[in-house]
Protein backbone atom coordinates (compact mmCIF):
# COMPACT_ATOMS: atom_id res chain seq x y z
CA UNK A 1 0.00 0.00 0.00
CA UNK A 2 1.36 3.42 -0.96
CA UNK A 3 1.01 6.54 1.15
CA UNK A 4 1.58 9.86 -0.53
CA UNK A 5 3.10 11.55 2.55
CA UNK A 6 1.20 13.73 2.14
CA UNK A 7 -1.23 14.73 -0.58
CA UNK A 8 -2.54 17.75 1.32
CA UNK A 9 -0.02 20.58 1.28
CA UNK A 10 0.47 22.36 4.61
CA UNK A 11 -1.01 25.64 3.41
CA UNK A 12 -4.36 23.94 2.64
CA UNK A 13 -4.74 22.72 6.23
CA UNK A 14 -6.00 25.97 7.66
CA UNK A 15 -6.75 25.53 11.36
CA UNK A 16 -9.94 26.70 13.00
CA UNK A 17 -9.41 28.03 16.54
CA UNK A 18 -12.26 26.88 18.76
CA UNK A 19 -13.95 29.83 20.54
CA UNK A 20 -13.16 28.68 24.09
CA UNK A 21 -12.03 30.75 27.04
CA UNK A 22 -8.99 29.51 29.03
CA UNK A 23 -8.10 26.99 26.34
CA UNK A 24 -6.13 26.66 23.14
CA UNK A 25 -7.78 24.16 20.76
CA UNK A 26 -7.20 24.16 16.99
CA UNK A 27 -9.03 22.02 14.45
CA UNK A 28 -7.51 21.07 11.09
CA UNK A 29 -10.35 19.53 9.02
CA UNK A 30 -8.25 18.17 6.13
CA UNK A 31 -4.98 17.39 7.81
CA UNK A 32 -4.77 14.12 5.85
CA UNK A 33 -5.99 13.73 2.27
CA UNK A 34 -9.02 11.49 1.79
CA UNK A 35 -6.87 8.82 0.12
CA UNK A 36 -4.32 8.79 2.93
CA UNK A 37 -7.00 8.81 5.63
CA UNK A 38 -8.88 5.90 3.94
CA UNK A 39 -5.67 3.88 3.60
CA UNK A 40 -4.49 4.54 7.18
CA UNK A 41 -7.93 3.61 8.54
CA UNK A 42 -7.92 0.23 6.78
CA UNK A 43 -4.33 -0.46 7.67
CA UNK A 44 -4.53 0.44 11.38
CA UNK A 45 -7.60 -1.76 11.87
CA UNK A 46 -5.51 -4.84 11.15
CA UNK A 47 -2.00 -3.60 12.01
CA UNK A 48 -2.48 -2.68 15.68
CA UNK A 49 -2.78 -5.25 18.52
CA UNK A 50 -6.18 -3.98 19.70
CA UNK A 51 -7.34 -5.02 23.16
CA UNK A 52 -10.27 -4.30 25.41
CA UNK A 53 -8.90 -3.30 28.80
CA UNK A 54 -10.65 -3.56 32.13
CA UNK A 55 -10.75 -0.79 34.72
CA UNK A 56 -11.61 -1.01 38.40
CA UNK A 57 -14.50 1.40 39.02
CA UNK A 58 -16.26 1.67 42.39
CA UNK A 59 -14.81 -1.71 43.40
CA UNK A 60 -15.95 -3.47 40.21
CA UNK A 61 -14.00 -4.66 37.16
CA UNK A 62 -15.52 -2.92 34.12
CA UNK A 63 -14.58 -3.42 30.45
CA UNK A 64 -13.85 -0.08 28.79
CA UNK A 65 -16.31 0.65 25.95
CA UNK A 66 -13.76 0.65 23.09
CA UNK A 67 -10.60 -1.13 22.01
CA UNK A 68 -7.23 0.48 22.48
CA UNK A 69 -3.54 0.08 21.76
CA UNK A 70 -0.65 2.03 23.31
CA UNK A 71 2.52 2.69 21.26
CA UNK A 72 5.66 4.71 21.81
CA UNK A 73 9.36 4.90 22.48
CA UNK A 74 10.59 2.07 24.73
CA UNK A 75 10.62 4.17 27.94
CA UNK A 76 7.02 5.35 27.48
CA UNK A 77 5.02 3.20 29.88
CA UNK A 78 1.73 5.00 30.55
CA UNK A 79 -0.60 4.79 33.52
CA UNK A 80 -4.14 6.15 33.68
CA UNK A 81 -7.09 5.13 35.86
CA UNK A 82 -4.85 2.48 37.52
CA UNK A 83 -4.15 0.88 34.13
CA UNK A 84 -0.44 0.51 33.33
CA UNK A 85 0.43 0.05 29.67
CA UNK A 86 3.96 -0.75 28.46
CA UNK A 87 4.42 0.58 24.91
CA UNK A 88 4.00 -1.42 21.72
CA UNK A 89 6.54 -0.36 19.09
CA UNK A 90 5.81 2.30 16.47
CA UNK A 91 4.34 0.94 13.24
CA UNK A 92 5.16 2.58 9.90
CA UNK A 93 1.66 4.11 9.63
CA UNK A 94 1.77 5.51 13.17
CA UNK A 95 5.21 7.00 12.51
CA UNK A 96 3.97 8.67 9.29
CA UNK A 97 0.92 10.16 11.01
CA UNK A 98 3.09 11.29 13.94
CA UNK A 99 5.30 13.20 11.47
CA UNK A 100 2.21 14.89 10.02
CA UNK A 101 1.02 15.96 13.50
CA UNK A 102 4.47 17.30 14.39
CA UNK A 103 4.45 19.35 11.16
CA UNK A 104 1.06 20.83 12.09
CA UNK A 105 2.35 21.64 15.59
CA UNK A 106 5.64 23.13 14.48
CA UNK A 107 4.56 26.78 13.85
CA UNK A 108 3.03 27.25 17.31
CA UNK A 109 4.41 24.59 19.65
CA UNK A 110 7.32 22.67 18.11
CA UNK A 111 6.17 19.55 19.96
CA UNK A 112 7.80 16.18 19.26
CA UNK A 113 5.63 13.25 20.27
CA UNK A 114 7.03 10.08 21.83
CA UNK A 115 3.82 8.07 22.27
CA UNK A 116 0.27 7.57 21.02
CA UNK A 117 -2.92 6.10 22.42
CA UNK A 118 -4.99 4.49 19.66
CA UNK A 119 -8.72 4.12 20.36
CA UNK A 120 -11.06 2.07 18.20
CA UNK A 121 -14.75 2.96 18.58
CA UNK A 122 -16.33 -0.06 16.89
CA UNK A 123 -19.81 1.50 16.67
CA UNK A 124 -22.06 4.05 18.38
CA UNK A 125 -22.05 2.09 21.63
CA UNK A 126 -18.33 2.69 22.06
CA UNK A 127 -17.49 5.91 23.86
CA UNK A 128 -15.07 7.77 26.12
CA UNK A 129 -16.35 9.41 29.29
CA UNK A 130 -15.46 12.98 30.27
CA UNK A 131 -11.88 13.30 31.48
CA UNK A 132 -8.82 15.54 31.22
CA UNK A 133 -5.48 14.38 29.93
CA UNK A 134 -3.72 15.58 33.06
CA UNK A 135 -1.58 12.65 34.21
CA UNK A 136 1.67 13.88 35.83
CA UNK A 137 3.84 12.37 33.07
CA UNK A 138 2.18 14.70 30.51
CA UNK A 139 3.56 17.74 32.38
CA UNK A 140 1.93 21.19 32.64
CA UNK A 141 -0.09 22.43 29.66
CA UNK A 142 0.53 19.39 27.41
CA UNK A 143 0.18 19.59 23.63
CA UNK A 144 -1.94 16.67 22.39
CA UNK A 145 -2.71 15.97 18.74
CA UNK A 146 -5.85 13.93 18.14
CA UNK A 147 -6.39 12.29 14.73
CA UNK A 148 -9.74 10.96 13.48
CA UNK A 149 -10.07 8.19 10.89
CA UNK A 150 -13.43 6.73 9.88
CA UNK A 151 -16.83 7.77 11.20
CA UNK A 152 -17.15 11.41 12.29
CA UNK A 153 -18.13 11.74 15.98
CA UNK A 154 -19.06 14.75 18.13
CA UNK A 155 -16.24 15.67 20.53
CA UNK A 156 -17.53 17.59 23.54
CA UNK A 157 -15.42 19.92 25.67
CA UNK A 158 -16.95 20.96 29.01
CA UNK A 159 -15.58 23.74 31.20
CA UNK A 160 -14.84 22.37 34.68
CA UNK A 161 -16.34 25.35 36.54
CA UNK A 162 -18.97 26.98 34.31
CA UNK A 163 -20.04 23.55 32.87
CA UNK A 164 -20.41 25.30 29.51
CA UNK A 165 -20.15 22.81 26.64
CA UNK A 166 -18.73 23.14 23.15
CA UNK A 167 -19.10 20.42 20.50
CA UNK A 168 -16.77 19.95 17.55
CA UNK A 169 -17.54 17.22 15.02
CA UNK A 170 -14.27 15.41 14.35
CA UNK A 171 -14.20 14.37 10.70
CA UNK A 172 -12.32 11.68 8.80
CA UNK A 173 -8.74 12.86 8.19
CA UNK A 174 -8.90 15.68 10.74
CA UNK A 175 -6.46 16.64 13.50
CA UNK A 176 -7.47 18.48 16.69
CA UNK A 177 -4.66 20.03 18.72
CA UNK A 178 -5.27 20.74 22.41
CA UNK A 179 -2.66 22.93 24.07
CA UNK A 180 -2.16 25.67 26.68
CA UNK A 181 -4.35 25.37 29.77
CA UNK A 182 -7.05 23.28 28.01
CA UNK A 183 -6.57 20.23 30.26
CA UNK A 184 -6.64 22.38 33.44
CA UNK A 185 -9.96 24.02 32.60
CA UNK A 186 -11.86 21.47 30.50
CA UNK A 187 -12.87 17.84 30.39
CA UNK A 188 -13.58 16.19 27.04
CA UNK A 189 -15.30 13.05 25.82
CA UNK A 190 -17.14 11.12 23.11
CA UNK A 191 -20.74 10.15 23.92
CA UNK A 192 -22.55 6.98 22.87
CA UNK A 193 -25.17 7.25 20.15
CA UNK A 194 -28.10 4.99 19.25
CA UNK A 195 -27.62 5.83 15.56
CA UNK A 196 -26.28 2.99 13.41
CA UNK A 197 -22.81 4.31 12.62
CA UNK A 198 -19.52 2.87 11.44
CA UNK A 199 -16.21 2.50 13.22
CA UNK A 200 -13.81 5.29 14.11
CA UNK A 201 -10.12 5.15 14.98
CA UNK A 202 -8.75 7.99 17.09
CA UNK A 203 -5.03 8.52 17.71
CA UNK A 204 -3.93 10.88 20.48
CA UNK A 205 -0.24 11.71 20.16
CA UNK A 206 1.41 12.76 23.40
CA UNK A 207 4.82 13.69 24.80
CA UNK A 208 5.52 11.80 28.02
CA UNK A 209 8.09 13.34 30.32
CA UNK A 210 10.52 10.86 31.88
CA UNK A 211 10.81 11.36 35.60
CA UNK A 212 14.12 10.86 37.40
CA UNK A 213 14.20 7.48 39.17
O1 LIG B 1 -11.67 9.82 20.58
C1 LIG B 1 -11.43 10.98 20.87
O2 LIG B 1 -11.54 11.89 20.06
C2 LIG B 1 -11.02 11.34 22.28
C3 LIG B 1 -9.83 10.56 22.76
C4 LIG B 1 -9.39 10.99 24.11
O3 LIG B 1 -10.00 11.81 24.74
C5 LIG B 1 -8.20 10.41 24.72
O4 LIG B 1 -7.58 9.49 24.15
O5 LIG B 1 -7.83 10.87 25.83
Amino acid sequence: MQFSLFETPDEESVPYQLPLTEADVRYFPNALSKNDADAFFERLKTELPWRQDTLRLFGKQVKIPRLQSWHGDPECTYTYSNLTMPPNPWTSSLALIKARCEALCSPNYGTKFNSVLANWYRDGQDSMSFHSDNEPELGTNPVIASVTLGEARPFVLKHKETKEKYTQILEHGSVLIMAGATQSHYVHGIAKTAKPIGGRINLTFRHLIQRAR
Side-chain angles (χ1 to χ4, degrees), residues 66 68 78 80 117-121 127-133 135 144 146-148 153-156 170 176 178 183 188-190 200-206:
R66 63 191 174 274
Q68 59 184 24
Y78 191 45
Y80 81 95
L117 179 63
N119 296 299
W120 185 2
Y121 302 85
S127 62
M128 187 172 294
S129 54
F130 277 127
H131 67 283
S132 299
D133 295 327
E135 290 75 22
I144 294 174
S146 171
V147 179
T148 290
R153 298 277 297 255
F155 176 81
V156 182
L170 300 183
L176 182 91
M178 293 186 279
Q183 305 303 326
H188 58 265
I190 301 277
R200 166 177 182 262
I201 291 177
N202 165 257
L203 307 171
T204 52
F205 289 88
R206 298 142 191 256

Side-chain angles (χ1 to χ4, degrees), residues 68-88:
Q68 59 184 24
S69 187
W70 173 248
H71 296 256
D73 295 352
E75 68 281 7
C76 290
T77 291
Y78 191 45
T79 301
Y80 81 95
S81 299
N82 290 326
L83 184 65
T84 296
M85 299 184 287
N88 291 298

Side-chain angles (χ1 to χ4, degrees), residues 18-194:
L18 271 52
L20 299 172
T21 53
E22 302 183 290
D24 177 5
V25 186
R26 288 159 209 244
Y27 180 63
F28 296 77
N30 301 306
L32 303 175
S33 72
K34 166 118 177 39
N35 282 350
D36 284 344
D38 289 351
F40 282 130
F41 182 54
E42 289 310 315
R43 192 154 152 180
L44 290 172
K45 271 198 258 182
T46 53
E47 190 179 77
L48 303 191
W50 298 105
R51 46 186 251 188
Q52 186 169 23
D53 285 304
T54 304
L55 291 179
R56 200 169 170 77
L57 278 185
F58 307 112
K60 275 192 186 161
Q61 292 295 119
V62 181
K63 280 188 176 176
I64 61 168
R66 63 191 174 274
L67 305 184
Q68 59 184 24
S69 187
W70 173 248
H71 296 256
D73 295 352
E75 68 281 7
C76 290
T77 291
Y78 191 45
T79 301
Y80 81 95
S81 299
N82 290 326
L83 184 65
T84 296
M85 299 184 287
N88 291 298
W90 291 103
T91 67
S92 55
S93 337
L94 290 175
L96 285 168
I97 304 171
K98 174 169 100 74
R100 178 64 177 150
C101 290
E102 288 173 348
L104 293 173
C105 284
S106 74
N108 296 296
Y109 314 112
T111 310
K112 298 287 176 207
F113 299 107
N114 59 10
S115 49
V116 62
L117 179 63
N119 296 299
W120 185 2
Y121 302 85
R122 295 158 292 181
D123 57 30
Q125 288 309 294
D126 277 354
S127 62
M128 187 172 294
S129 54
F130 277 127
H131 67 283
S132 299
D133 295 327
N134 57 2
E135 290 75 22
E137 53 268 56
L138 292 171
T140 312
N141 294 348
V143 176
I144 294 174
S146 171
V147 179
T148 290
L149 301 168
E151 189 76 38
R153 298 277 297 255
F155 176 81
V156 182
L157 289 136
K158 183 167 77 166
H159 195 280
K160 290 183 188 178
E161 278 155 30
T162 65
K163 311 294 177 205
E164 206 171 320
K165 285 184 184 169
Y166 184 88
T167 300
Q168 174 67 50
I169 306 292
L170 300 183
E171 299 154 294
H172 184 48
S174 69
V175 173
L176 182 91
I177 298 177
M178 293 186 279
T182 307
Q183 305 303 326
S184 306
H185 295 292
Y186 288 81
V187 290
H188 58 265
I190 301 277
K192 292 184 196 306
T193 172

